Amino acid sequence: MTLTQLFFVFLVIQLIHGLGTWKLYIKAGRQAWEAFVPVYNAVILMKIINRPWYWVILLFLPIVNLIMFPVVWVETARSFGKNSSLDTFLAIISFGFYNYYLNYALDLDYKEDRDLHPKTGLGDWVSSILFAIVAATIVHTYFIQPYTIPTSSLEKSLLVGDFLFVSKFHYGARVPMTTVAAPMVHDTIPVLKKKSYLYNDNDKDAFVNKLSLPYLRIPGFQNIKHNDIVVFNWPADSSYSMAVNNPDRKYLKPIDKKTNYVKRCVGLPGDSLEIKDGFVYINGKQNVLPDRAKLQFFHTVETKSEISQNFLDKYGITELAQVFSLPTNVWDDKRVQDFLSKNNTHLEIVYKDSTIVHVTGQMSRTAFDRLKFNYVSNKISANATLELANTIKNDPNVISVVKNNSKTRDSGIFPHNANYDWNNDNFGPLYIPKAGATIDLNLEVLPLYERIITDYENNTVQVKGNQVFVNGELASTYTFKKDYYWMMGDNRHNSLDARSWGFTPFDHVVGKPVFIWMSWNTNGNGIKEKIRWERLFTTVNGSGKPISFFIPFLVLLAIWFGFNQFRKRKKAKS
């Protein structure tokens, strides 16, 4: 829905409201025309039903208004003496059109001083629940959203099992685009594991999809900076829901219902980015991470004896890959390489001589069995920081520790085009688009920016011979409409990030993680190890070792509880 269409729908709703309530306004001592004036009519209606003025704001907040509209329909009926359960049911089931019946068919008296308190315990309970949901939805949508770290892509800075509060207001809260959805959940209704929003995922031009709002964002007080940790909607997400790991097909998803991801923003709009040996370079200079961040790479560790679990535990190695061996003459056979490339395999050589090849990486079970690979018992590919790798080198049982560095093209790496010989460790250079910037558009650069032009900026692209056509017109240049960012994990060899899908538009940005309120270690034994106590109530950003504010929080909580008890006793005595 465009802004023009949205405005038209808004006017139609005002007209429907006016036609259905103008007589009720008169019975309440107001003028008929007041029922038709946009926004003002809502202010007057709140006075008629004896509800606070700020309810008007709630009526215009997407998702929240789905709760507020039925409440206002019921309250309007009750303000004119229609208090029965049947009246309540009819007001809700008719989507407010019950007011037309009250307005034209009945001669009602306005109950100016009616009792606003629920008549039953159930009514009181429902009222409390409704407004708790409203308050929580406002906080969740426009201020703070809880988030859980699911993967190790930012290990050392953020751990798997960290529970975060994500600020929506730092970069500006995004107004929900999907207007008909369950409150306080993302794309999936818990337990039911069903889609939580109304959207046709087969046809983007379906009528129901026109209920979606255009992208709007409340101004923030901070821009994204280099190395900020950012939560965003995964641009490549096409899964039915977060609860379905293996969807039967790809689905269209509204931006705000795509899966939430968290990565570090290493590239800003207008930057030139390049990756050399796994290190990021921005505009020709190596990117320097904050002191809390620790890069991790897979290192090939060779020991004098078979690698044991005790060795892994000694150095805290939890992410590792096996090293496999194959005779050199078999590896060098072109038929073998063709077979590997067709069987979901991406292997890197870590050792090779005239008789044997040692490789590590991604390999299908079919390839392993067919070619009769063997495991190398005294070598592993271990994920470790550079500091840990240097420590392991000094172990007397260790022969060598070498950082893995991919040299061959990886077809799973952006832009997924054979003309770009890029991989996780060696990538670019690449220009990150900035709104208003213009590039030369030709067949060479088209693979880098085609998705931006088509999916993110809603144009069509055709190639005829060696010419590029945008929206049916010959285009030798293209001017970007949006800002784009480059999001990566610190766990450089174990992170699904921008190297796989490319750019992230600003309209996909959700917010900034600011606070860790809980951290749960699933591999720990007992409550003492399960909870990472030192991470409770720590800030995500900042320098130096994180400081836990958990104890000060408990002290303040005890003081507050004691003060409330003192105040109650004092009040009881008086």
Side-chain angles (χ1 to χ4, degrees):
M1 185 185 297
T2 64
L3 288 173
T4 301
Q5 292 169 333
L6 179 63
F7 182 68
F8 176 75
V9 170
F10 172 73
L11 292 181
V12 170
I13 292 174
Q14 301 305 307
L15 179 61
I16 291 172
H17 171 78
L19 292 174
T21 59
W22 65 273
K23 283 189 174 181
L24 299 179
Y25 274 65
I26 293 174
K27 288 181 179 296
R30 309 300 305 192
Q31 300 295 317
W33 62 265
E34 292 180 297
F36 292 89
V37 180
V39 183
Y40 177 73
N41 55 8
V43 174
I44 298 303
L45 182 61
M46 293 310 109
K47 292 181 179 180
I48 292 173
I49 66 176
N50 289 315
R51 292 301 181 178
W53 63 268
Y54 62 79
W55 276 31
V56 176
I57 299 174
L58 303 182
L59 291 174
F60 290 94
L61 294 180
I63 305 300
V64 173
N65 55 16
L66 295 180
I67 304 170
M68 294 304 301
F69 279 136
V71 172
V72 170
W73 299 334
V74 171
E75 290 292 299
T76 300
R78 289 178 177 177
S79 293
F80 292 90
K82 307 301 287 182
N83 296 305
S84 71
S85 298
L86 179 61
D87 292 316
T88 299
F89 174 76
L90 292 174
I92 295 173
I93 201 68
S94 68
F95 294 100
F97 282 96
Y98 185 57
N99 286 335
Y100 274 73
Y101 171 69
L102 304 181
N103 194 60
Y104 292 106
L106 301 180
D107 185 17
L108 301 173
D109 293 324
Y110 173 55
K111 309 298 181 182
E112 184 175 3
D113 298 320
R114 70 187 178 96
D115 185 5
L116 299 180
H117 293 91
K119 301 295 188 296
T120 65
L122 177 62
D124 188 51
W125 181 81
V126 170
S127 179
S128 299
I129 291 294
L130 278 177
F131 284 98
I133 292 174
V134 167
T137 301
I138 292 172
V139 172
H140 183 275
T141 305
Y142 296 98
F143 296 97
I144 293 288
Q145 175 182 332
Y147 183 80
T148 307
I149 298 296
T151 69
S152 62
S153 66
L154 288 170
E155 196 75 14
K156 308 307 177 188
S157 293
L158 295 175
L159 307 181
V160 175
D162 279 350
F163 291 79
L164 309 177
F165 284 137
V166 176
S167 164
K168 298 288 189 74
F169 52 84
H170 273 76
Y171 305 137
R174 189 178 55 188
V175 176
M177 303 173 199
T178 311
T179 56
V180 184
M184 292 189 302
V185 296
H186 193 52
D187 63 351
T188 311
I189 298 176
V191 182
L192 298 178
K193 293 188 177 180
K194 297 295 183 181
K195 190 168 65 173
S196 65
Y197 55 96
L198 185 62
Y199 195 84
N200 187 323
D201 50 43
N202 289 307
D203 180 12
K204 68 177 181 180
D205 297 320
F207 173 77
V208 69
N209 295 353
K210 297 186 184 302
L211 297 175
S212 298
L213 294 177
Y215 166 68
L216 297 168
R217 188 182 290 272
I218 299 170
F221 65 85
Q222 186 181 97
N223 294 321
I224 298 176
K225 301 186 293 294
H226 283 115
N227 298 321
D228 272 1
I229 296 176
V230 179
V231 172
F232 57 96
N233 296 116
W234 181 28
D237 185 23
S238 59
S239 298
Y240 183 86
S241 76
M242 290 191 294
V244 179
N245 295 322
N246 298 302
D248 56 347
R249 62 179 174 82
K250 291 186 176 180
Y251 294 80
L252 294 170
K253 295 185 76 173
I255 291 172
D256 58 338
K257 293 302 176 182
K258 292 182 178 181
T259 299
N260 288 331
Y261 262 39
V262 58
K263 305 291 178 190
R264 191 181 301 279
C265 180
V266 297
L268 300 179
D271 281 346
S272 176
L273 177 141
E274 189 171 6
I275 302 174
K276 302 177 184 178
D277 297 334
F279 297 98
V280 172
Y281 289 77
I282 300 296
N283 302 323
K285 296 182 179 180
Q286 185 172 340
N287 184 41
V288 179
L289 296 177
D291 60 357
R292 288 188 186 179
K294 301 294 181 183
L295 290 180
Q296 291 188 97
F297 302 92
F298 274 96
H299 295 74
T300 300
V301 179
E302 181 180 7
T303 60
K304 297 174 183 177
S305 58
E306 182 177 339
I307 294 177
S308 65
Q309 186 61 47
N310 287 337
F311 178 86
L312 301 178
D313 293 341
K314 178 180 179 181
Y315 294 107
I317 297 172
T318 56
E319 293 182 316
L320 67 152
Q322 296 288 342
V323 175
F324 312 100
S325 68
L326 202 66
T328 300
N329 63 323
V330 177
W331 175 264
D332 288 341
D333 192 315
K334 185 178 183 302
R335 293 171 300 174
V336 170
Q337 292 301 317
D338 290 341
F339 175 79
L340 291 173
S341 66
K342 294 175 182 177
N343 281 272
N344 192 29
T345 300
H346 183 78
L347 298 173
E348 293 292 339
I349 298 173
V350 295
Y351 174 80
K352 183 179 182 181
D353 61 22
S354 59
T355 60
I356 199 77
V357 174
H358 290 172
V359 296
T360 187
Q362 176 185 315
M363 176 163 49
S364 66
R365 188 72 206 184
T366 300
F368 181 87
D369 293 338
R370 180 78 177 271
L371 297 174
K372 294 180 170 56
F373 278 92
N374 290 310
Y375 292 109
V376 181
S377 63
N378 70 326
K379 279 187 179 181
I380 58 167
S381 185
N383 203 11
T385 64
L386 298 176
E387 293 82 358
L388 178 58
N390 286 327
T391 300
I392 296 174
K393 282 181 182 179
N394 295 322
D395 190 301
N397 188 44
V398 171
I399 297 172
S400 64
V401 178
V402 180
K403 183 170 78 71
N404 295 355
N405 183 22
S406 185
K407 297 293 186 183
T408 59
R409 177 180 177 268
D410 186 343
S411 60
I413 294 299
F414 179 82
H416 315 290
N417 184 283
N419 293 325
Y420 288 85
D421 194 24
W422 295 353
N423 55 54
N424 263 332
D425 291 313
N426 296 282
F427 183 101
L430 174 73
Y431 172 73
I432 303 173
K434 182 177 183 179
T438 301
I439 60 165
D440 292 330
L441 189 60
N442 51 52
L443 295 184
E444 182 181 353
V445 302
L446 182 61
L448 299 175
Y449 303 109
E450 184 172 9
R451 187 171 187 182
I452 285 180
I453 298 170
T454 56
D455 291 2
Y456 303 150
E457 302 196 353
N458 300 315
N459 302 289
T460 61
V461 171
Q462 289 178 299
V463 175
K464 299 178 182 179
N466 62 352
Q467 294 180 318
V468 180
F469 291 79
V470 177
N471 297 327
E473 297 184 2
L474 180 64
S476 59
T477 63
Y478 183 78
T479 300
F480 297 104
K481 303 172 186 175
K482 300 178 181 180
D483 285 331
Y484 295 85
Y485 298 81
W486 196 259
M487 308 293 190
M488 286 180 62
D490 299 343
N491 199 340
R492 290 293 160 82
H493 288 160
N494 193 19
S495 173
L496 179 64
D497 55 32
R499 291 169 293 179
S500 296
W501 71 74
F503 308 100
T504 297
F506 185 58
D507 60 15
H508 282 56
V509 170
V510 174
K512 180 176 183 176
V514 292
F515 197 69
I516 301 170
W517 64 271
M518 177 65 176
S519 187
W520 184 261
N521 179 11
T522 56
N523 297 318
N525 296 316
I527 196 68
K528 187 174 182 180
E529 292 185 12
K530 287 285 187 182
I531 298 177
R532 302 184 185 105
W533 297 97
E534 73 282 358
R535 295 184 67 80
L536 268 57
F537 286 72
T538 59
T539 57
V540 173
N541 305 290
S543 59
K545 186 178 179 179
I547 299 174
S548 173
F549 294 95
F550 184 56
I551 298 301
F553 167 76
L554 293 179
V555 171
L556 289 175
L557 191 64
I559 293 173
W560 175 253
F561 179 77
F563 174 73
N564 276 341
Q565 291 298 313
F566 171 77
R567 188 174 59 178
K568 288 179 180 179
R569 290 176 183 175
K570 187 175 181 181
K571 186 176 181 180
K573 290 179 180 179
S574 61

